[in-house]
Amino acid sequence: GSLDLVWFGGLTGVQARLQKPGAKVLAQRDIDKNFKSVFIANKQTGIQTIRNIKHLESLKGRRFTFGSESSTSGRLMPQYFLQKAGVSLNDFKGGRPGFSGSHDATIFLVQSGSYEAGALNSEVWKSNIKRNRINRSKLKVIWITPSYADYHWLAQPDIDKRFGRGFTNKIKKSLLSFSKKNDNQKLILELFGAEKFIPANEKEYKKIEMIGREIGKIR
């Protein structure tokens, strides 16, 4: 109850709604409807580009890192796709993967050779490419995941009671009206890495909930 409106990742948003029944998904960025993760590898490892999800099994026995333990794009979905390929967490070198704590950290740990491969948010990868923070002679993308729904705005269920009837919809309409024609709104959208906010609903995150339960992140 401490916050009325929160920007959540896919998994953390689901976890929050389970803890707060009635909380409402209001909107997502245009890029969140079909979000993706990338698997990267240090080129010195000789790990080949993966053409088929089944070939993720080539990561068995490697030093591999996820990002944050609760990250949708840096842990949940990559782990799900690995499991679909028959790769469990104890198949990595040392019997467990690493958890870097952030997407940026994953990039630099793999680039330095501390880990041979890792998975992260595709938008963070693109951002670091644009900012010339990645040494392309050392790093490469070996696989891009299928798409899934990710980040979204989540509102408390009692906002209308406290601020007046229809207030939740006012917030939603305000978010959806953001345009790059307005300088202030353009700045906000650019900080979010988006062209616009679009409508979103709870149904889009059912798969995230299912996978969260499947891998033990939701009980």
Side-chain angles (χ1 to χ4, degrees):
S2 300
L3 298 169
D4 292 320
L5 183 68
V6 181
W7 176 247
F8 276 116
L11 174 61
T12 49
V14 170
Q15 291 171 321
R17 283 192 290 111
L18 291 172
Q19 292 179 45
K20 193 73 172 184
K24 296 177 176 64
V25 176
L26 299 187
Q28 59 188 194
R29 297 172 299 182
D30 51 335
I31 58 176
D32 289 312
K33 200 169 194 68
N34 295 292
F35 209 80
K36 295 179 181 179
S37 299
V38 294
F39 281 63
I40 61 172
N42 188 297
K43 287 186 175 181
Q44 289 189 335
T45 62
I47 297 173
Q48 298 298 305
T49 300
I50 294 168
R51 306 296 181 187
N52 185 300
I53 188 173
K54 293 180 181 179
H55 298 155
L56 284 173
E57 63 184 6
S58 65
L59 296 176
K60 287 183 178 180
R62 298 288 190 169
R63 298 191 312 278
F64 184 90
T65 185
F66 294 111
S68 164
E69 292 196 42
S70 61
S71 171
T72 306
S73 55
R75 189 273 173 85
L76 181 82
M77 297 308 295
Q79 183 178 339
Y80 168 69
F81 291 120
L82 283 162
Q83 287 185 180
K84 285 189 71 174
V87 183
S88 66
L89 299 189
N90 57 18
D91 284 329
F92 295 119
K93 190 167 185 177
R96 58 189 177 85
F99 289 98
S100 70
S102 74
H103 302 295
D104 288 316
T106 295
I107 290 172
F108 297 116
L109 285 170
V110 176
Q111 183 167 284
S112 71
S114 297
Y115 287 92
E116 295 174 281
L120 68 142
N121 177 320
S122 62
E123 295 301 317
V124 173
W125 173 260
K126 292 175 188 175
S127 174
N128 276 276
I129 291 287
K130 288 180 181 178
R131 294 161 64 191
N132 295 314
R133 299 183 71 205
I134 292 173
N135 186 335
R136 301 301 293 274
S137 69
K138 293 183 177 181
L139 279 182
K140 69 174 182 177
V141 172
I142 56 172
W143 191 60
I144 301 174
T145 70
S147 61
Y148 52 88
D150 201 351
Y151 296 87
H152 55 283
W153 287 105
L154 189 66
Q156 285 283 0
D158 63 347
I159 287 180
D160 284 10
K161 290 181 180 178
R162 291 186 289 117
F163 296 99
R165 179 183 289 183
F167 196 78
T168 303
N169 280 334
K170 286 182 180 179
I171 295 173
K172 183 173 182 176
K173 286 180 180 179
S174 178
L175 290 169
L176 298 181
S177 71
F178 273 38
S179 168
K180 287 196 170 181
K181 293 179 181 179
N182 177 294
D183 288 342
N184 289 331
Q185 294 173 1
K186 179 182 178 182
L187 176 59
I188 293 170
L189 288 169
E190 287 176 348
L191 289 169
F192 274 86
E195 292 296 316
K196 60 182 177 178
F197 291 113
I198 62 174
N201 61 69
E202 290 81 359
K203 292 180 181 179
E204 295 179 73
Y205 298 91
K206 281 294 183 183
K207 184 176 181 181
I208 298 293
E209 181 178 350
M210 178 197 75
I211 294 170
R213 293 185 187 281
E214 189 176 309
I215 71 171
K217 290 301 293 181
I218 298 174
R219 291 182 173 82

